[in-house]
Amino acid sequence: MARQQLEVLSALDAAKTQWYHFTAIVIAGMGFFTDAYDLFCISLVTKLLGRIYYYREGSPDPGSLPPHVAAAVNGVAFCGTLSGQLFFGWLGDKMGRKRVYGMTLMCMVACSLASGVSLGRSPAAVMGTLCFFRFWLGFGIGGDYPLSATIMSEYANKKTRGAFIAAVFAMQGFGILTGGVVTLVVSAAFRAEFPSPAYQDGAVPSTPAEADYVWRVILMFGAIPALLTYYWRMKMPETARYTALVARNAKQAASDMSKVLQVDIVSGGDAGDRQHDEFGLFSSEFWRRHGHHLLGTTSCWFLLDIAFYSQNLFQKDIFSAIHWIPKARTMSALDEVYRIARAQTLIALCGTVPGYWFTVVLIDVLGRFKIQMMGFAMMTVFMLGLAIPYHHWTTPGNHIGFLVMYAFTFFFANFGPNSTTFIVPAEIFPARLRSTCHGISAAAGKAGAIVGSFGFLYAAQSRDESKADHGYPAGIGVRCSLFVLAVCSLLGLACTLLVPESKGKSLEELSGDNHDQQPPAHARTMPVIV
Protein backbone atom coordinates (compact mmCIF):
# COMPACT_ATOMS: atom_id res chain seq x y z
CA MET A 1 0.00 0.00 0.00
CA ALA A 2 1.38 3.43 -0.94
CA ARG A 3 2.49 5.79 1.82
CA GLN A 4 -0.02 8.41 0.68
CA GLN A 5 -2.82 5.90 1.06
CA LEU A 6 -1.73 5.21 4.62
CA GLU A 7 -1.60 8.92 5.36
CA VAL A 8 -5.17 9.41 4.11
CA LEU A 9 -6.47 6.47 6.14
CA SER A 10 -4.62 7.53 9.27
CA ALA A 11 -5.92 11.07 8.94
CA LEU A 12 -9.49 9.79 8.60
CA ASP A 13 -9.15 7.66 11.72
CA ALA A 14 -7.68 10.51 13.75
CA ALA A 15 -9.90 13.34 12.44
CA LYS A 16 -11.80 15.20 15.14
CA THR A 17 -15.58 15.26 14.97
CA GLN A 18 -16.54 18.17 12.75
CA TRP A 19 -19.61 19.85 11.35
CA TYR A 20 -19.49 17.83 8.14
CA HIS A 21 -19.81 14.60 10.08
CA PHE A 22 -23.19 15.81 11.33
CA THR A 23 -24.12 17.01 7.84
CA ALA A 24 -23.34 13.53 6.49
CA ILE A 25 -25.48 11.97 9.24
CA VAL A 26 -28.45 14.12 8.22
CA ILE A 27 -27.97 13.52 4.48
CA ALA A 28 -27.62 9.75 4.86
CA GLY A 29 -30.12 9.61 7.72
CA MET A 30 -32.91 11.28 5.76
CA GLY A 31 -32.68 8.38 3.36
CA PHE A 32 -33.33 6.02 6.24
CA PHE A 33 -36.09 8.26 7.54
CA THR A 34 -37.77 7.87 4.15
CA ASP A 35 -37.03 4.13 4.02
CA ALA A 36 -38.75 3.47 7.32
CA TYR A 37 -41.69 5.73 6.52
CA ASP A 38 -42.30 4.03 3.16
CA LEU A 39 -41.85 0.47 4.44
CA PHE A 40 -44.04 0.75 7.53
CA CYS A 41 -46.77 3.22 6.52
CA ILE A 42 -48.45 0.50 4.45
CA SER A 43 -49.36 -1.39 7.64
CA LEU A 44 -51.37 1.65 8.75
CA VAL A 45 -53.65 1.64 5.72
CA THR A 46 -54.14 -2.05 4.85
CA LYS A 47 -57.33 -2.25 6.91
CA LEU A 48 -58.62 0.81 5.04
CA LEU A 49 -57.74 -0.74 1.67
CA GLY A 50 -59.78 -3.80 2.62
CA ARG A 51 -62.81 -1.70 3.54
CA ILE A 52 -62.65 0.35 0.33
CA TYR A 53 -61.93 -2.31 -2.27
CA TYR A 54 -63.22 -5.55 -0.77
CA TYR A 55 -66.58 -4.61 0.73
CA ARG A 56 -68.88 -7.64 1.10
CA GLU A 57 -72.54 -6.74 0.97
CA GLY A 58 -74.45 -8.13 3.91
CA SER A 59 -71.36 -9.16 5.86
CA PRO A 60 -71.41 -8.44 9.63
CA ASP A 61 -67.78 -7.28 9.38
CA PRO A 62 -66.10 -4.72 7.12
CA GLY A 63 -64.24 -5.84 4.02
CA SER A 64 -60.66 -7.00 4.38
CA LEU A 65 -57.85 -7.77 1.96
CA PRO A 66 -57.88 -11.42 0.82
CA PRO A 67 -54.91 -13.37 2.18
CA HIS A 68 -52.90 -13.39 -1.05
CA VAL A 69 -53.53 -9.69 -1.61
CA ALA A 70 -52.62 -8.77 1.97
CA ALA A 71 -49.43 -10.83 1.72
CA ALA A 72 -48.50 -9.14 -1.55
CA VAL A 73 -49.24 -5.59 -0.36
CA ASN A 74 -47.29 -6.09 2.88
CA GLY A 75 -44.41 -8.11 1.47
CA VAL A 76 -43.74 -6.97 -2.09
CA ALA A 77 -41.69 -3.95 -0.98
CA PHE A 78 -39.43 -6.31 0.98
CA CYS A 79 -38.86 -8.39 -2.15
CA GLY A 80 -37.83 -5.22 -3.97
CA THR A 81 -35.64 -4.16 -1.05
CA LEU A 82 -33.82 -7.50 -1.05
CA SER A 83 -33.13 -7.17 -4.79
CA GLY A 84 -31.99 -3.57 -4.40
CA GLN A 85 -29.63 -4.39 -1.55
CA LEU A 86 -27.84 -7.01 -3.62
CA PHE A 87 -27.75 -4.97 -6.83
CA PHE A 88 -26.84 -1.55 -5.46
CA GLY A 89 -24.46 -3.06 -2.91
CA TRP A 90 -22.51 -4.65 -5.76
CA LEU A 91 -22.79 -1.49 -7.89
CA GLY A 92 -21.53 0.69 -5.05
CA ASP A 93 -18.25 -1.24 -5.04
CA LYS A 94 -17.96 -1.17 -8.84
CA MET A 95 -18.92 2.44 -9.60
CA GLY A 96 -18.32 4.19 -6.31
CA ARG A 97 -20.62 5.13 -3.46
CA LYS A 98 -21.56 8.63 -4.63
CA ARG A 99 -22.40 7.77 -8.24
CA VAL A 100 -24.97 5.22 -7.15
CA TYR A 101 -26.34 7.17 -4.17
CA GLY A 102 -28.50 9.53 -6.22
CA MET A 103 -30.02 6.71 -8.27
CA THR A 104 -31.56 5.08 -5.22
CA LEU A 105 -33.08 8.35 -4.00
CA MET A 106 -34.77 9.23 -7.29
CA CYS A 107 -36.15 5.71 -7.52
CA MET A 108 -37.69 6.18 -4.08
CA VAL A 109 -39.19 9.59 -4.94
CA ALA A 110 -40.74 8.44 -8.21
CA CYS A 111 -42.20 5.23 -6.79
CA SER A 112 -43.59 6.89 -3.63
CA LEU A 113 -45.58 9.25 -5.83
CA ALA A 114 -46.59 6.47 -8.23
CA SER A 115 -47.78 4.27 -5.34
CA GLY A 116 -50.20 6.98 -4.28
CA VAL A 117 -51.72 7.36 -7.76
CA SER A 118 -52.26 3.63 -8.33
CA LEU A 119 -55.21 3.48 -10.70
CA GLY A 120 -57.56 0.90 -12.14
CA ARG A 121 -61.19 0.04 -12.73
CA SER A 122 -61.19 -2.96 -10.40
CA PRO A 123 -59.73 -3.82 -6.98
CA ALA A 124 -57.33 -6.25 -8.66
CA ALA A 125 -56.03 -3.49 -10.95
CA VAL A 126 -55.53 -1.02 -8.09
CA MET A 127 -53.78 -3.57 -5.91
CA GLY A 128 -51.71 -4.79 -8.86
CA THR A 129 -50.39 -1.32 -9.71
CA LEU A 130 -49.83 -0.58 -6.03
CA CYS A 131 -47.75 -3.74 -5.64
CA PHE A 132 -45.82 -3.01 -8.85
CA PHE A 133 -44.75 0.44 -7.68
CA ARG A 134 -44.06 -0.71 -4.13
CA PHE A 135 -41.70 -3.38 -5.48
CA TRP A 136 -39.64 -0.71 -7.24
CA LEU A 137 -39.94 1.58 -4.23
CA GLY A 138 -38.39 -1.25 -2.21
CA PHE A 139 -35.71 -1.64 -4.87
CA GLY A 140 -34.60 1.96 -4.31
CA ILE A 141 -34.85 1.61 -0.54
CA GLY A 142 -32.66 -1.49 -0.74
CA GLY A 143 -29.81 0.50 -2.24
CA ASP A 144 -29.88 2.93 0.64
CA TYR A 145 -28.89 0.26 3.18
CA PRO A 146 -25.37 -0.66 1.97
CA LEU A 147 -24.58 2.79 0.56
CA SER A 148 -25.59 4.86 3.60
CA ALA A 149 -23.83 2.53 6.03
CA THR A 150 -20.67 2.31 3.93
CA ILE A 151 -20.49 6.05 3.28
CA MET A 152 -20.87 6.90 6.95
CA SER A 153 -18.35 4.29 8.09
CA GLU A 154 -15.79 5.52 5.56
CA TYR A 155 -16.20 9.17 6.56
CA ALA A 156 -16.06 8.54 10.32
CA ASN A 157 -13.08 8.38 12.67
CA LYS A 158 -12.54 5.16 14.59
CA LYS A 159 -13.37 6.69 17.97
CA THR A 160 -16.96 7.69 17.17
CA ARG A 161 -17.65 5.60 14.06
CA GLY A 162 -20.24 3.40 15.76
CA ALA A 163 -22.24 6.37 17.03
CA PHE A 164 -22.22 8.02 13.59
CA ILE A 165 -23.48 4.92 11.77
CA ALA A 166 -26.00 4.27 14.53
CA ALA A 167 -27.25 7.87 14.25
CA VAL A 168 -27.91 7.35 10.52
CA PHE A 169 -29.86 4.19 11.29
CA ALA A 170 -31.68 5.87 14.19
CA MET A 171 -33.47 8.07 11.68
CA GLN A 172 -35.48 4.94 10.92
CA GLY A 173 -37.19 5.41 14.27
CA PHE A 174 -38.23 8.94 13.36
CA GLY A 175 -39.50 7.63 10.03
CA ILE A 176 -41.73 5.09 11.79
CA LEU A 177 -42.91 7.77 14.24
CA THR A 178 -43.61 10.23 11.44
CA GLY A 179 -45.63 7.61 9.58
CA GLY A 180 -47.89 7.34 12.62
CA VAL A 181 -48.13 11.10 13.07
CA VAL A 182 -48.89 11.81 9.40
CA THR A 183 -51.56 9.11 9.40
CA LEU A 184 -53.06 10.57 12.59
CA VAL A 185 -53.21 14.06 11.09
CA VAL A 186 -54.59 12.99 7.71
CA SER A 187 -57.19 10.59 9.15
CA ALA A 188 -58.26 13.12 11.79
CA ALA A 189 -58.68 15.84 9.15
CA PHE A 190 -60.78 13.62 6.89
CA ARG A 191 -62.75 12.27 9.84
CA ALA A 192 -63.66 15.82 10.90
CA GLU A 193 -64.56 16.87 7.36
CA PHE A 194 -66.47 13.71 6.42
CA PRO A 195 -68.09 12.26 9.59
CA SER A 196 -69.41 8.76 9.13
CA PRO A 197 -71.15 6.14 11.31
CA ALA A 198 -69.69 2.88 12.59
CA TYR A 199 -69.94 -0.07 10.22
CA GLN A 200 -72.62 -1.76 12.33
CA ASP A 201 -74.75 1.38 12.10
CA GLY A 202 -74.38 1.79 8.34
CA ALA A 203 -72.15 -0.45 6.29
CA VAL A 204 -71.88 1.68 3.13
CA PRO A 205 -71.72 5.18 4.69
CA SER A 206 -69.11 3.99 7.25
CA THR A 207 -66.53 4.22 4.45
CA PRO A 208 -67.01 7.58 2.71
CA ALA A 209 -65.82 7.88 -0.89
CA GLU A 210 -63.23 10.45 0.20
CA ALA A 211 -61.47 7.78 2.28
CA ASP A 212 -59.81 6.65 -0.94
CA TYR A 213 -57.68 9.81 -0.81
CA VAL A 214 -56.42 9.08 2.71
CA TRP A 215 -54.13 6.16 1.90
CA ARG A 216 -52.89 7.89 -1.26
CA VAL A 217 -51.85 11.05 0.60
CA ILE A 218 -50.10 8.99 3.29
CA LEU A 219 -48.08 6.96 0.76
CA MET A 220 -47.16 9.98 -1.37
CA PHE A 221 -45.87 11.95 1.61
CA GLY A 222 -42.82 9.66 1.64
CA ALA A 223 -41.47 11.39 -1.47
CA ILE A 224 -41.02 14.73 0.30
CA PRO A 225 -38.04 14.04 2.65
CA ALA A 226 -36.25 12.06 -0.08
CA LEU A 227 -36.67 14.88 -2.60
CA LEU A 228 -35.39 17.48 -0.12
CA THR A 229 -32.05 15.67 0.32
CA TYR A 230 -31.31 14.89 -3.34
CA TYR A 231 -29.27 18.06 -3.96
CA TRP A 232 -27.09 17.49 -0.89
CA ARG A 233 -26.41 13.89 -1.83
CA MET A 234 -25.16 15.01 -5.21
CA LYS A 235 -22.85 17.54 -3.54
CA MET A 236 -21.13 14.90 -1.39
CA PRO A 237 -17.68 13.87 -2.66
CA GLU A 238 -16.74 10.23 -3.05
CA THR A 239 -15.50 8.72 0.21
CA ALA A 240 -11.75 9.03 0.64
CA ARG A 241 -11.39 5.35 1.49
CA TYR A 242 -13.02 4.27 -1.77
CA THR A 243 -10.91 6.73 -3.76
CA ALA A 244 -7.66 5.71 -2.03
CA LEU A 245 -8.15 1.94 -1.69
CA VAL A 246 -10.37 0.99 -4.62
CA ALA A 247 -9.87 3.74 -7.22
CA ARG A 248 -6.17 3.98 -6.15
CA ASN A 249 -6.04 7.77 -6.26
CA ALA A 250 -4.63 8.84 -2.90
CA LYS A 251 -3.99 12.40 -4.08
CA GLN A 252 -7.67 12.89 -5.02
CA ALA A 253 -8.77 11.25 -1.77
CA ALA A 254 -6.64 13.67 0.26
CA SER A 255 -7.98 16.62 -1.71
CA ASP A 256 -11.63 15.58 -1.26
CA MET A 257 -11.18 14.91 2.43
CA SER A 258 -9.46 18.26 3.03
CA LYS A 259 -12.41 20.09 1.49
CA VAL A 260 -15.19 18.54 3.52
CA LEU A 261 -13.52 17.46 6.78
CA GLN A 262 -11.15 20.41 7.07
CA VAL A 263 -8.02 18.35 7.55
CA ASP A 264 -4.71 18.41 5.78
CA ILE A 265 -2.35 15.53 5.01
CA VAL A 266 1.25 16.22 5.93
CA SER A 267 3.15 13.89 3.64
CA GLY A 268 6.76 12.90 3.57
CA GLY A 269 6.45 11.76 -0.04
CA ASP A 270 5.15 8.77 -1.91
CA ALA A 271 6.92 5.50 -1.40
CA GLY A 272 5.32 4.04 -4.51
CA ASP A 273 2.27 1.87 -4.91
CA ARG A 274 2.40 -1.76 -3.91
CA GLN A 275 -0.39 -4.09 -4.80
CA HIS A 276 -2.29 -5.32 -1.78
CA ASP A 277 -4.39 -8.43 -1.71
CA GLU A 278 -6.94 -8.48 -4.53
CA PHE A 279 -8.98 -11.51 -3.54
CA GLY A 280 -12.63 -11.45 -4.64
CA LEU A 281 -15.87 -12.34 -2.94
CA PHE A 282 -15.89 -15.91 -4.26
CA SER A 283 -12.22 -16.61 -3.61
CA SER A 284 -10.98 -19.09 -1.04
CA GLU A 285 -8.94 -16.30 0.56
CA PHE A 286 -12.06 -14.24 1.26
CA TRP A 287 -13.85 -17.20 2.83
CA ARG A 288 -10.79 -18.05 4.89
CA ARG A 289 -10.57 -14.51 6.26
CA HIS A 290 -14.17 -13.35 6.31
CA GLY A 291 -16.43 -16.33 5.59
CA HIS A 292 -17.47 -16.83 9.22
CA HIS A 293 -17.98 -13.07 9.58
CA LEU A 294 -20.37 -13.03 6.62
CA LEU A 295 -22.19 -16.06 8.01
CA GLY A 296 -22.54 -14.24 11.33
CA THR A 297 -23.82 -10.96 9.88
CA THR A 298 -26.31 -12.66 7.54
CA SER A 299 -27.71 -15.14 10.08
CA CYS A 300 -28.11 -12.53 12.84
CA TRP A 301 -29.85 -10.08 10.52
CA PHE A 302 -32.10 -12.81 9.09
CA LEU A 303 -33.26 -13.96 12.53
CA LEU A 304 -33.66 -10.44 13.86
CA ASP A 305 -35.85 -9.30 10.98
CA ILE A 306 -38.22 -12.26 11.27
CA ALA A 307 -39.10 -11.02 14.75
CA PHE A 308 -38.76 -7.27 14.18
CA TYR A 309 -40.84 -6.96 11.02
CA SER A 310 -43.47 -9.43 12.18
CA GLN A 311 -44.12 -7.26 15.20
CA ASN A 312 -43.92 -3.95 13.33
CA LEU A 313 -46.15 -4.84 10.40
CA PHE A 314 -48.81 -6.57 12.45
CA GLN A 315 -49.10 -4.35 15.49
CA LYS A 316 -52.67 -3.62 14.43
CA ASP A 317 -53.55 -7.34 14.54
CA ILE A 318 -51.92 -7.84 17.94
CA PHE A 319 -53.65 -4.78 19.39
CA SER A 320 -56.99 -6.06 18.06
CA ALA A 321 -56.31 -9.50 19.52
CA ILE A 322 -55.87 -8.07 23.02
CA HIS A 323 -58.89 -5.76 22.47
CA TRP A 324 -56.82 -2.58 22.75
CA ILE A 325 -58.36 -1.55 19.43
CA PRO A 326 -62.14 -2.16 19.29
CA LYS A 327 -63.79 -4.56 16.86
CA ALA A 328 -63.75 -3.20 13.32
CA ARG A 329 -67.53 -3.28 13.06
CA THR A 330 -67.82 -0.77 15.93
CA MET A 331 -65.81 1.88 14.05
CA SER A 332 -65.98 3.80 10.82
CA ALA A 333 -63.15 3.33 8.29
CA LEU A 334 -61.46 6.62 9.18
CA ASP A 335 -61.85 6.03 12.90
CA GLU A 336 -60.12 2.65 12.54
CA VAL A 337 -57.17 4.20 10.68
CA TYR A 338 -56.89 6.86 13.38
CA ARG A 339 -56.86 4.33 16.23
CA ILE A 340 -54.28 2.08 14.53
CA ALA A 341 -52.02 5.07 13.88
CA ARG A 342 -52.40 6.23 17.48
CA ALA A 343 -51.32 2.84 18.79
CA GLN A 344 -48.30 2.63 16.48
CA THR A 345 -47.26 6.19 17.30
CA LEU A 346 -47.38 5.44 21.02
CA ILE A 347 -45.23 2.33 20.61
CA ALA A 348 -42.73 4.22 18.44
CA LEU A 349 -42.55 7.08 20.91
CA CYS A 350 -42.12 4.91 24.00
CA GLY A 351 -40.01 2.03 22.70
CA THR A 352 -38.74 2.35 19.15
CA VAL A 353 -37.17 5.83 19.05
CA PRO A 354 -35.53 5.71 22.54
CA GLY A 355 -33.95 2.33 21.74
CA TYR A 356 -32.18 3.70 18.68
CA TRP A 357 -30.70 6.64 20.56
CA PHE A 358 -29.54 4.54 23.50
CA THR A 359 -27.46 2.70 20.91
CA VAL A 360 -26.07 5.97 19.52
CA VAL A 361 -24.95 7.07 22.99
CA LEU A 362 -23.56 3.76 24.25
CA ILE A 363 -22.27 1.80 21.26
CA ASP A 364 -18.75 3.22 21.41
CA VAL A 365 -18.74 2.65 25.17
CA LEU A 366 -20.16 -0.87 25.47
CA GLY A 367 -19.21 -2.13 22.02
CA ARG A 368 -21.26 -3.82 19.31
CA PHE A 369 -20.95 -7.37 20.63
CA LYS A 370 -22.31 -6.64 24.12
CA ILE A 371 -25.22 -4.56 22.83
CA GLN A 372 -26.24 -7.22 20.31
CA MET A 373 -26.04 -10.04 22.85
CA MET A 374 -28.01 -8.02 25.40
CA GLY A 375 -30.62 -7.02 22.81
CA PHE A 376 -31.30 -10.56 21.61
CA ALA A 377 -31.41 -11.83 25.19
CA MET A 378 -33.89 -9.18 26.35
CA MET A 379 -36.06 -9.62 23.26
CA THR A 380 -36.29 -13.31 24.12
CA VAL A 381 -37.21 -12.54 27.73
CA PHE A 382 -39.92 -10.01 26.89
CA MET A 383 -41.45 -12.11 24.11
CA LEU A 384 -41.70 -15.02 26.52
CA GLY A 385 -43.14 -12.57 29.05
CA LEU A 386 -45.87 -11.79 26.53
CA ALA A 387 -46.45 -15.35 25.36
CA ILE A 388 -46.45 -17.40 28.57
CA PRO A 389 -49.16 -15.40 30.42
CA TYR A 390 -50.84 -14.35 27.13
CA HIS A 391 -54.36 -15.01 28.36
CA HIS A 392 -53.69 -12.74 31.33
CA TRP A 393 -52.80 -9.87 29.00
CA THR A 394 -55.99 -10.30 26.95
CA THR A 395 -58.31 -9.86 29.94
CA PRO A 396 -59.77 -6.38 30.57
CA GLY A 397 -57.62 -4.16 32.75
CA ASN A 398 -54.30 -5.71 31.71
CA HIS A 399 -53.88 -4.13 28.29
CA ILE A 400 -51.57 -1.41 29.57
CA GLY A 401 -49.22 -4.05 30.96
CA PHE A 402 -49.17 -5.79 27.58
CA LEU A 403 -48.41 -2.47 25.88
CA VAL A 404 -45.47 -1.81 28.23
CA MET A 405 -44.01 -5.28 27.67
CA TYR A 406 -44.53 -4.97 23.92
CA ALA A 407 -42.78 -1.59 23.89
CA PHE A 408 -39.80 -3.12 25.70
CA THR A 409 -39.34 -5.71 22.94
CA PHE A 410 -39.01 -2.82 20.47
CA PHE A 411 -36.71 -0.92 22.81
CA PHE A 412 -34.28 -3.82 23.09
CA ALA A 413 -34.54 -4.64 19.39
CA ASN A 414 -33.35 -1.11 18.61
CA PHE A 415 -30.99 -0.85 21.57
CA GLY A 416 -29.63 -4.11 20.30
CA PRO A 417 -29.48 -6.17 17.10
CA ASN A 418 -31.64 -3.98 14.88
CA SER A 419 -28.92 -1.32 15.11
CA THR A 420 -25.79 -3.47 15.40
CA THR A 421 -26.66 -5.76 12.48
CA PHE A 422 -26.67 -2.60 10.33
CA ILE A 423 -23.43 -1.21 11.76
CA VAL A 424 -21.04 -4.17 11.88
CA PRO A 425 -21.13 -5.22 8.17
CA ALA A 426 -20.06 -1.68 7.25
CA GLU A 427 -16.92 -2.06 9.37
CA ILE A 428 -15.43 -5.54 9.08
CA PHE A 429 -15.13 -6.22 5.33
CA PRO A 430 -12.50 -4.95 2.82
CA ALA A 431 -13.19 -1.59 1.14
CA ARG A 432 -13.56 -3.06 -2.36
CA LEU A 433 -16.19 -5.55 -1.05
CA ARG A 434 -17.66 -3.53 1.81
CA SER A 435 -20.82 -2.34 0.06
CA THR A 436 -21.38 -5.77 -1.52
CA CYS A 437 -21.04 -7.63 1.78
CA HIS A 438 -23.27 -5.16 3.56
CA GLY A 439 -25.84 -5.61 0.79
CA ILE A 440 -25.68 -9.40 1.17
CA SER A 441 -26.10 -9.12 4.95
CA ALA A 442 -28.99 -6.69 4.58
CA ALA A 443 -30.61 -8.90 1.93
CA ALA A 444 -30.51 -11.81 4.37
CA GLY A 445 -32.34 -9.54 6.80
CA LYS A 446 -34.99 -8.74 4.23
CA ALA A 447 -35.38 -12.46 3.54
CA GLY A 448 -36.22 -12.71 7.24
CA ALA A 449 -38.63 -9.79 6.89
CA ILE A 450 -40.35 -11.60 4.01
CA VAL A 451 -40.65 -14.74 6.13
CA GLY A 452 -42.05 -12.64 8.95
CA SER A 453 -44.47 -10.57 6.86
CA PHE A 454 -45.87 -13.53 4.93
CA GLY A 455 -45.62 -16.13 7.68
CA PHE A 456 -46.94 -14.11 10.62
CA LEU A 457 -49.92 -13.02 8.54
CA TYR A 458 -51.10 -16.63 8.49
CA ALA A 459 -49.57 -17.93 11.71
CA ALA A 460 -51.19 -15.31 13.94
CA GLN A 461 -54.72 -16.32 12.88
CA SER A 462 -56.86 -17.98 15.54
CA ARG A 463 -56.73 -21.76 15.86
CA ASP A 464 -60.51 -21.66 15.57
CA GLU A 465 -61.14 -21.19 11.85
CA SER A 466 -64.48 -19.49 12.56
CA LYS A 467 -62.57 -16.74 14.42
CA ALA A 468 -59.88 -16.27 11.77
CA ASP A 469 -60.03 -13.24 9.46
CA HIS A 470 -62.15 -13.66 6.36
CA GLY A 471 -60.44 -15.87 3.78
CA TYR A 472 -57.70 -17.11 6.10
CA PRO A 473 -57.21 -20.67 7.28
CA ALA A 474 -56.76 -21.38 10.98
CA GLY A 475 -53.30 -20.52 12.28
CA ILE A 476 -51.35 -21.16 15.46
CA GLY A 477 -52.58 -17.98 17.16
CA VAL A 478 -50.80 -14.89 18.43
CA ARG A 479 -49.52 -16.66 21.57
CA CYS A 480 -47.72 -19.46 19.73
CA SER A 481 -46.46 -16.95 17.14
CA LEU A 482 -44.81 -15.01 19.97
CA PHE A 483 -43.11 -18.23 21.10
CA VAL A 484 -41.72 -18.69 17.56
CA LEU A 485 -40.37 -15.12 17.57
CA ALA A 486 -38.74 -15.75 20.97
CA VAL A 487 -36.95 -18.80 19.52
CA CYS A 488 -35.71 -16.68 16.59
CA SER A 489 -34.27 -14.17 19.06
CA LEU A 490 -32.57 -16.94 21.03
CA LEU A 491 -30.96 -18.32 17.85
CA GLY A 492 -29.80 -14.80 17.00
CA LEU A 493 -28.07 -14.67 20.38
CA ALA A 494 -26.11 -17.82 19.48
CA CYS A 495 -25.17 -16.57 15.98
CA THR A 496 -23.77 -13.34 17.47
CA LEU A 497 -20.76 -15.41 18.57
CA LEU A 498 -19.63 -15.44 14.92
CA VAL A 499 -19.43 -11.63 14.73
CA PRO A 500 -16.23 -9.82 15.84
CA GLU A 501 -16.08 -6.76 18.08
CA SER A 502 -15.15 -3.69 16.03
CA LYS A 503 -15.11 -0.98 18.71
CA GLY A 504 -12.08 1.29 18.61
CA LYS A 505 -10.41 -0.38 15.62
CA SER A 506 -9.73 1.15 12.22
CA LEU A 507 -11.59 -0.20 9.21
CA GLU A 508 -8.30 -1.35 7.71
CA GLU A 509 -7.33 -3.23 10.87
CA LEU A 510 -10.70 -4.99 10.88
CA SER A 511 -10.81 -5.82 7.18
CA GLY A 512 -7.16 -6.66 6.60
CA ASP A 513 -6.74 -3.93 3.96
CA ASN A 514 -3.66 -2.82 5.89
CA HIS A 515 -2.86 -5.96 7.88
CA ASP A 516 0.88 -5.80 7.43
CA GLN A 517 1.71 -2.11 7.90
CA GLN A 518 1.25 0.50 10.57
CA PRO A 519 0.27 4.06 9.66
CA PRO A 520 3.31 6.31 9.42
CA ALA A 521 4.03 8.31 12.53
CA HIS A 522 3.99 11.62 10.69
CA ALA A 523 0.47 11.20 9.29
CA ARG A 524 -1.68 13.60 11.26
CA THR A 525 -4.61 15.95 10.89
CA MET A 526 -4.43 19.71 10.93
CA PRO A 527 -7.34 22.14 11.14
CA VAL A 528 -7.86 24.31 8.10
CA ILE A 529 -8.65 27.96 8.74
CA VAL A 530 -11.57 29.01 6.57
Side-chain angles (χ1 to χ4, degrees), residues 101 103 131 278 287 298 315 333 452 465 509:
Y101 212 22
M103 300 179 194
C131 288
E278 289 292 351
W287 290 100
T298 53
Q315 288 184 45
E465 191 168 356
E509 182 183 356

Side-chain angles (χ1 to χ4, degrees), residues 114 117-122 125-127 129-130 133 216:
V117 295
S118 299
L119 301 173
R121 293 181 177 274
S122 67
V126 176
M127 294 301 109
T129 52
L130 175 61
F133 289 122
R216 298 178 186 275

Side-chain angles (χ1 to χ4, degrees), residues 386-396 398 479:
L386 291 172
I388 294 172
Y390 180 74
H391 297 297
H392 167 78
W393 298 123
T394 59
T395 56
N398 296 321
R479 182 172 185 259

Side-chain angles (χ1 to χ4, degrees), residues 389-427:
Y390 180 74
H391 297 297
H392 167 78
W393 298 123
T394 59
T395 56
N398 296 321
H399 300 159
I400 297 300
F402 183 96
L403 181 64
V404 171
M405 295 279 284
Y406 195 64
F408 269 118
T409 64
F410 281 102
F411 176 82
F412 282 107
N414 296 312
F415 180 37
N418 193 42
S419 297
T420 54
T421 52
F422 175 80
I423 295 165
V424 174
E427 299 180 307

